[in-house]
Amino acid sequence: MELARRVRHLSPSLTLALDSKAKAMRAQGVDIVNFASGEPDFDTPEHIKAAAMGALDAGFTKYTPPGGIPELRRAISEKLKADNGLDYSPEQIVVTAGAKQACLNVLLAVVEPEDEVIIPSPYWVSYPEMVKLAGGEPVLVPTRRENGYKITPEEFADHMTPRTRLIILNSPHNPTGSLYSEKELQALAQLAAEEEILILSDEIYEKLVYDGRKAPSVAALGSLFYELCFTVNGFSKAYAMTGWRLGYVAAPRWAAEAIESIQSHTSSHATSFAQRGALAAYKGPQDCVAEMVAELDRRRQRMMQWLNKMDGLTYVPPHGAFYIFADITALGLDSRSFCEQLLEREHVVAVPGIVFGEDSSVRLSYATTLEEIDRGMERVARFVASLH
Ligand SMILES: Cc1ncc(COP(=O)(O)O)c(C=O)c1O
């Protein structure tokens, strides 16, 4: 028996697999420190949980419209206007089961077989696989450390062909924590507009930014870009709601209906009572986000302090998300061997950069407590010292 061609070269999500392995080892009593997590360790704020529980109690358990409940689409539309300077009507917004499904819906809506999709590398693990699922061809464009792992207009132009359909931009960035400036995004979007290349702007880490910075939205930088751009965002990271599976895409008018149709024939819609929780997230107090960001910032500083003391590990200071992408070139190990040995010898879990397309680095997540960071980084320091 043979599987369909579209899944023959599909790889499972290694980051999710690693995280599960760490959780399983811990459940067996192994003293694990987990720096592989892709989710905040905070609990979902109480008022959000209460809204979802209230919805359940009130029997809000039936099908909703495929694009989401009208009040949530309205709240997202208002949020995009207030926070991002974006004008999307509620009909242009499709609520999805996580930002991940939002990305896939976009790709399914616009990618034709053999279309090329440009993905700056290192990249979030799911992008190339989702492009393949949609029948397209991922074109991985290596970025440079000197540029903070951000793709330049020249690198973008060098990889364009007549088949280029879309570029995926992600800022703040997983796995490097890099953050594009308005000027950098504008230059990339300008080039895309000249060549009529679409943009998927994955802004899931938008709220998790440090040093007084702000994450600009590509579609807000010009009306030309707005027509080409799909803005993806969600509730997972900013409101510690990863398990709720709630995200959304805001699309130009010409594509919004098709995206909603895809959703109507696949998952139908995001979970009814979870949508009420998302509504509370956007309508309720925002100090929970500020508190979480302040705490993540303390952890970011602490992890950087540890790394600064280690010989042979270097990194570009991250300005967003909750990852540090540490370069291990000087240590003479590839990223998989580094992570395997680190787990075996010190019981610390890190993600090998190879899963993000960059074998010279490992990803350390600081979405864990300061105590865990101290405990784990002490072990990483001992391990790194042993490699000299
Ligand atoms: C860059 C990026 N985009 C999207 C997602 C998916 O978010 P969600 O959990 O809302 O599907 C993640 C999750 O790790 C991510 O890192």
Side-chain angles (χ1 to χ4, degrees), residues 1-80:
M1 299 304 265
E2 261 197 292
L3 289 167
R5 200 168 316 147
R6 90 175 72 80
V7 295
R8 268 181 233 158
H9 301 292
L10 206 64
S11 330
S13 168
L14 275 172
T15 45
L16 283 182
L18 247 176
D19 195 44
S20 307
K21 185 174 173 188
K23 284 174 179 159
M25 281 175 82
R26 184 176 282 162
Q28 285 160 10
V30 182
D31 177 24
I32 287 284
V33 178
N34 186 7
F35 291 147
S37 186
E39 59 187 350
D41 58 320
F42 310 103
D43 196 5
T44 304
E46 284 307 321
H47 67 281
I48 299 176
K49 290 202 271 187
M53 287 189 277
L56 267 177
D57 285 341
F60 194 66
T61 55
K62 303 288 190 252
Y63 289 134
T64 78
I69 54 175
E71 54 274 41
L72 177 57
R73 292 169 99 183
R74 228 174 6 253
I76 294 169
S77 161
E78 287 162 11
K79 179 266 175 213
L80 290 173

Side-chain angles (χ1 to χ4, degrees), residues 313 324-328 335 338-339 350-353 360-364:
L313 272 186
I324 297 182
F325 206 51
D327 191 316
I328 55 166
S335 64
F338 181 96
C339 291
V351 184
S360 65
S361 298
V362 298
R363 191 190 75 176
L364 299 167

Side-chain angles (χ1 to χ4, degrees), residues 146-353:
E146 306 86 87
N147 296 333
Y149 302 102
K150 292 183 271 192
I151 188 170
T152 62
E154 294 71 32
E155 288 162 345
F156 181 17
D158 281 351
H159 289 82
M160 278 179 196
T161 76
R163 283 165 44 204
T164 307
R165 174 67 166 153
L166 182 138
I167 180 168
I168 302 181
L169 295 175
N170 169 223
S171 174
H173 185 249
N174 179 7
T176 65
S178 63
L179 180 68
Y180 286 72
S181 69
E182 224 174 85
K183 208 167 136 207
E184 289 163 338
L185 287 177
Q186 192 127 30
L188 293 167
Q190 185 62 40
L191 204 52
E194 281 161 20
E195 303 297 326
E196 293 188 4
I197 292 170
L198 303 174
I199 301 168
L200 194 168
S201 179
D202 180 349
E203 301 176 10
I204 187 71
Y205 293 99
E206 173 213 3
K207 301 264 184 199
L208 310 185
V209 283
Y210 315 104
D211 307 319
R213 296 187 191 225
K214 199 172 177 316
S217 280
V218 184
L221 301 178
S223 52
L224 256 185
F225 313 151
Y226 178 89
E227 281 304 308
L228 299 167
C229 190
F230 296 83
T231 304
V232 167
N233 207 326
F235 300 86
S236 300
K237 316 285 177 173
Y239 298 90
M241 291 171 70
T242 44
W244 293 61
R245 311 308 305 128
L246 274 171
Y248 57 86
V249 50
R253 284 190 187 278
W254 60 268
E257 214 172 296
I259 291 175
E260 191 176 352
S261 291
I262 291 170
Q263 172 117 319
S264 74
H265 291 298
T266 50
S267 61
S268 291
H269 58 78
T271 303
S272 58
F273 47 90
Q275 291 188 57
R276 283 278 180 82
L279 182 62
Y282 272 0
K283 289 296 214 182
Q286 299 299 305
D287 36 333
C288 52
V289 182
E291 281 162 23
M292 193 164 76
V293 173
E295 178 58 24
L296 284 172
D297 193 18
R298 278 191 283 275
R299 297 167 178 189
R300 179 183 72 117
Q301 310 272 1
R302 184 69 69 87
M303 197 173 254
M304 289 196 293
Q305 281 163 12
W306 273 103
L307 287 170
N308 294 345
K309 286 188 287 192
M310 290 180 209
D311 248 359
L313 272 186
T314 51
Y315 65 96
V316 179
H319 297 297
F322 39 65
Y323 311 108
I324 297 182
F325 206 51
D327 191 316
I328 55 166
T329 312
L331 298 173
L333 285 179
D334 61 52
S335 64
R336 213 183 277 267
S337 312
F338 181 96
C339 291
E340 276 168 11
Q341 291 185 30
L342 181 63
L343 179 59
E344 222 165 87
R345 287 166 49 186
E346 296 288 351
H347 298 160
V348 172
V349 193
V351 184

